[in-house]
Amino acid sequence: MIQARVLIRPKEGILDAQGKAVEGALPALGFEGIEHVRVGRIVELQAASADRLEELCEKLLANPLIEDFEIETVSE
Amino acid sequence: MIQARVLIRPKEGILDAQGKAVEGALPALGFEGIEHVRVGRIVELQAASADRLEELCEKLLANPLIEDFEIETVSE
């Protein structure tokens, strides 16, 4: 079995509403010096093979119109 | 500036509704051999210092009651 980790992020240029919300909340909580916040999803799974992971991301896990994804194989 | 990546996952034993939804959709899409799907969030940010990142996670990014978080410092 392969342990895979898929990182899904909003594409550059697409509004990242969650990231903006975090940035907007920082001053009221007293945090300074934090910027460029981007919020995405992480999907971790075990797969019998890595063959179809890219297809899985395109069809089910990510929305390729507005999101980029990156597959990391943690261990085999 | 530090480039940090925060991985936020549902705690073990907490229902991961998104992960279950993915698992439930797999057979209809013809995917086999994929299991233990867990869906979480990833927050990437730049910080002037790593000192308060843990506090930031506890107060704003994660819900410590139901989520675990892990901070990875990608580069300094």
Side-chain angles (χ1 to χ4, degrees):
Chain A
M1 294 295 277
I2 291 166
Q3 178 72 37
R5 175 193 277 186
V6 181
L7 307 178
I8 302 164
R9 305 179 176 92
K11 276 186 196 285
E12 283 300 318
I14 298 281
L15 174 68
D16 174 12
Q18 290 182 86
K20 292 295 169 211
V22 169
E23 287 177 359
L26 291 169
L29 291 168
F31 290 99
E32 290 174 0
I34 292 172
E35 53 191 40
H36 299 297
V37 181
R38 305 281 286 175
V39 179
R41 296 194 307 287
I42 177 171
V43 182
E44 290 171 311
L45 54 85
Q46 290 178 7
S49 131
D51 291 348
R52 296 184 67 197
L53 287 184
E54 188 145 338
E55 184 190 353
L56 175 70
C57 291
E58 286 168 359
K59 286 194 177 169
L60 182 61
L61 302 182
N63 178 346
L65 285 177
I66 58 171
E67 293 170 326
D68 287 323
F69 61 84
E70 180 183 347
I71 300 169
E72 294 178 354
T73 306
V74 181
S75 62
E76 261 181 78
Chain B
M1 295 293 279
I2 290 166
Q3 178 73 36
R5 175 193 275 187
V6 181
L7 307 178
I8 303 163
R9 305 179 176 92
K11 277 186 196 285
E12 283 301 317
I14 297 282
L15 174 68
D16 173 12
Q18 291 182 86
K20 292 295 169 211
V22 170
E23 287 177 358
L26 292 169
L29 290 168
F31 290 99
E32 291 175 359
I34 294 172
E35 53 191 40
H36 296 112
V37 181
R38 305 281 286 175
V39 179
R41 296 194 305 286
I42 176 171
V43 183
E44 290 170 312
L45 54 85
Q46 290 179 6
S49 130
D51 291 349
R52 297 184 68 199
L53 288 183
E54 188 145 338
E55 183 190 353
L56 176 69
C57 292
E58 286 169 358
K59 286 193 177 169
L60 182 62
L61 302 182
N63 178 346
L65 285 177
I66 58 170
E67 293 171 326
D68 287 323
F69 61 84
E70 181 183 347
I71 301 170
E72 295 178 353
T73 306
V74 181
S75 62
E76 266 183 72

